[in-house]
Amino acid sequence: MSWEPPGTRPTDTATWSAGTDVLAAAPAEEPARRASWWLVGGAAALALALVGGVTYGVGALSGGGSQPEDALPAGAFGFAKVDLDPSAAQKIDGFRFLRKFPALRDKLGGGEDLRKLAFEAVADGAGWSDVDFDAEVSPWMGKRIGFAAYPPEKTDDPFPDPTVVVALQVEDESAAKDGLDRLADLEAGSGQPGSRLGFVVTGDYALLAETQALADRAARDAEAGVLAEDANLTSDLGALGDGVAAAWVDMNRAVEAVGPAALQMGSLAGVVGGVGGAGGRSAYVARFDGPDVFEVAGRVVGAETAGWASHPVEGVAQLPESSVVAFGLADGDELVNRLYETLRTAYEKGGPEQGMPPFEDMVAQAEAGLGIEIPEDVASLLGDNLVGALDGGKSGTVQLGARVRTDVARAERVLDLLTSGDAGDFVLARERVGDELVVASTPAQAARLAAGGTLGDRPGFRDAMADLDNADLAVWLDIVGLSETLFPSREGGPVDENMAPIEGLGVTASSRDEGTGTFRVRLVAR
């Protein structure tokens, strides 16, 4: 997950990423804020950088203790954390999983301290290049970090920045105060006058914010109530079980705090809202499920689009064995209708305020240009059950297609309208199989989809698609095969040694109860 730091806007070209250039994304015209955001806005990127290695070899197999939400004040609409001291089972499974990859194998057996790696990744940008981590940071820096997003300060800005507070675990309160004070001074010295990271150390955690006033306020607010007392957060995350990292977003609070216009333009909550609807809460946890699987499990509650399906998707495991990408969706026609209404609601909240035409006028214009009815004709293309695949043959030609159970006559009419025009006809191979329509980019792929296959017998498929029998949406990726299909010039050569262990990536989601849904993303390596 990522969060835009104060000062960025949807028009900024910057993107936040985990790695050695976390701070390079900050706006060039704001050098002072760039430095101060290494622990505030950049906390998400730092957290993601730490997830990759968890902390195997750092310490004893232990867990428990206070969590970031025990220190952060109540009232957040977004929260994420990384636990660098998870349960013993997670440590063991993670160690065995990550050692399958040669690039990580040598780094996971020598007691590497990932706190140091993370610190060094941001040290230059924050003005800390001369700080000795082992002597000046390691004695007080803990193994857990969390960050929370709160309503912004009152402003007339249509795209207000949320207030972000970071909770950094500390081992020694007195040493942490001295250490953070020095880091704040160095950071301020590398930026504009008056810019200085704010912090308050209380007990096991330091609360960090963009300014000292915000940090002081966060500490006062935490005395009145902490985030761990939020019943929604604890129940949503608690339902997902143990892991090494977790995240949570309350979309209703986010819309109220930041405004629908900002959410639609690419903020973190807007991305989540695009998946779960304009409301509801989303929770996520990352963990190792045994030594061969890394997964992210999620849960959505109160989302407008959730609950669209009436049956699980059928036929994904029966797609051709040569498929390198497989997709399945149940009741896509109903999902289209729900997404259409959600889009209408969101547009009506923000569109007119931006001087845009009425929603119905835009739809009518699209219908006139395409010659179809929206959303009814679009829904017919997805039908009651749809499966699709991209073939992994050695022909050097990408072949893809879909098999859909629907009103075949209507779907074919829509396809005729969408694939013809002034530029000439775009030809698709088609076949009818009972009440299903097969559409593909080549006759060979259409024949494969019509005949069916044994994709479900592929190594790693069932482990990656553990919830397939109950899934309403499913995606399967053969990472190695997909790479060879998209880059045929590499065929016959050795597979990258860090890609070779991957047997598959699977995504499954289920949503048959109104307003709720669950999903899992699973990476299998052997």
Side-chain angles (χ1 to χ4, degrees):
M1 303 178 70
S2 62
W3 191 267
E4 295 173 348
T8 63
R9 288 291 184 271
T11 53
D12 289 335
T13 58
T15 56
W16 287 77
S17 62
T20 58
D21 199 24
V22 171
L23 294 174
E29 67 272 15
E30 300 189 61
R33 302 183 93 177
R34 178 177 126 145
S36 67
W37 262 90
W38 92 272
L39 279 173
V40 184
L46 175 61
L48 287 173
L50 296 176
V51 167
V54 187
T55 191
Y56 305 106
V58 172
L61 301 185
S62 61
S66 60
Q67 298 291 329
E69 58 265 39
D70 295 318
L72 288 162
F77 62 79
F79 169 70
K81 67 177 179 178
V82 173
D83 190 346
L84 298 181
D85 190 24
S87 67
Q90 284 293 293
K91 286 184 178 180
I92 294 171
D93 287 342
F95 179 79
R96 294 169 66 187
F97 180 89
L98 294 171
R99 280 186 58 83
K100 300 176 189 293
F101 303 93
L104 297 175
R105 191 174 299 141
D106 294 338
K107 297 181 179 181
L108 297 175
E112 194 74 40
D113 190 340
L114 293 182
R115 299 176 308 157
K116 183 175 182 177
L117 295 179
F119 180 86
E120 291 177 347
V122 299
D124 289 342
W128 302 334
S129 56
D130 293 332
V131 175
D132 185 330
F133 176 86
D134 293 326
E136 301 178 73
V137 179
S138 179
W140 57 265
M141 185 177 179
K143 298 184 178 72
R144 291 171 180 162
I145 184 170
F147 74 103
Y150 299 87
E153 299 292 311
K154 290 185 177 181
T155 175
D156 294 331
D157 191 336
F159 299 104
D161 298 314
T163 296
V164 178
V165 179
V166 176
L168 177 66
Q169 188 181 44
V170 299
E171 301 290 347
D172 183 316
E173 183 173 350
S174 177
K177 291 178 180 178
D178 293 338
L180 285 169
D181 199 47
R182 177 160 188 252
L183 294 179
D185 285 340
L186 290 172
E187 171 266 322
S190 67
Q192 296 177 348
S195 170
R196 189 178 193 275
L197 178 71
F199 70 90
V200 175
V201 181
T202 57
D204 295 334
Y205 283 86
L207 297 180
L208 312 165
E210 188 182 9
T211 67
Q212 189 59 47
L214 289 174
D216 290 338
R217 188 179 73 182
R220 291 193 302 270
D221 290 345
E223 292 179 356
V226 294
L227 195 54
E229 297 168 354
D230 188 311
N232 288 335
L233 181 144
T234 55
S235 64
D236 292 345
L237 290 179
L240 297 177
D242 191 19
V244 296
W248 176 85
V249 176
D250 186 323
M251 279 297 301
N252 294 323
R253 291 186 192 173
V255 171
E256 181 180 352
V258 185
L263 297 183
Q264 293 168 20
M265 294 299 290
S267 70
L268 165 65
V271 173
V272 176
V275 175
R281 307 187 307 272
S282 302
Y284 315 82
V285 65
R287 59 178 166 238
F288 296 94
D289 185 15
D292 300 328
V293 178
F294 176 73
E295 75 168 19
V296 176
R299 182 170 182 259
V300 178
V301 178
E304 294 175 4
T305 56
W308 81 86
S310 61
H311 65 87
V313 64
E314 304 166 14
V316 178
Q318 288 73 47
L319 286 167
E321 190 272 344
S322 58
S323 301
V324 295
V325 178
F327 174 81
L329 176 65
D331 291 317
D333 47 3
E334 173 60 23
L335 180 59
V336 166
N337 293 329
R338 291 194 180 211
L339 289 173
Y340 178 84
E341 292 304 322
T342 298
L343 179 61
R344 178 207 297 272
T345 300
Y347 183 90
E348 289 175 348
K349 287 181 179 179
E353 296 177 3
Q354 306 298 321
M356 301 178 72
F359 184 79
E360 289 75 12
D361 290 353
M362 294 183 64
V363 172
Q365 183 177 3
E367 289 179 326
L370 298 172
I372 65 174
E373 297 180 61
I374 300 175
E376 294 84 0
D377 282 346
V378 178
S380 73
L381 297 179
L382 298 184
D384 169 69
N385 192 83
L386 179 148
V387 293
L390 187 154
D391 184 68
K394 304 289 186 177
S395 66
T397 301
V398 174
Q399 302 182 68
L400 66 159
R403 179 169 173 165
V404 56
R405 187 169 64 218
T406 187
D407 179 340
V408 175
R410 182 168 191 166
E412 288 204 293
R413 179 183 63 80
V414 175
L415 286 172
D416 289 338
L417 290 168
L418 294 179
T419 58
S420 63
D422 295 336
D425 292 343
F426 175 65
V427 178
L428 290 172
R430 302 181 194 175
E431 289 193 29
R432 288 196 183 198
V433 183
D435 61 349
E436 296 183 332
L437 175 65
V438 176
V439 182
S441 60
T442 66
Q445 182 67 353
R448 277 189 287 266
L449 290 169
T454 58
L455 178 60
D457 295 336
R458 289 274 299 273
F461 180 88
R462 282 293 173 182
D463 285 337
M465 310 288 282
D467 299 327
L468 180 59
D469 292 342
N470 194 48
D472 306 317
L473 181 149
V475 180
W476 149 264
L477 296 176
D478 171 2
I479 303 296
V480 175
L482 180 61
S483 176
E484 293 176 344
T485 299
L486 297 180
F487 305 102
S489 62
R490 296 173 56 184
E491 291 181 7
V495 176
D496 183 278
E497 63 178 0
N498 290 298
M499 188 184 295
I502 300 175
E503 286 194 345
L505 175 71
V507 180
T508 51
S510 179
S511 182
R512 255 160 274 157
D513 295 329
E514 288 297 324
T516 66
T518 60
F519 75 88
R520 287 209 285 179
V521 180
R522 291 167 63 85
L523 180 68
V524 180
R526 301 191 197 279

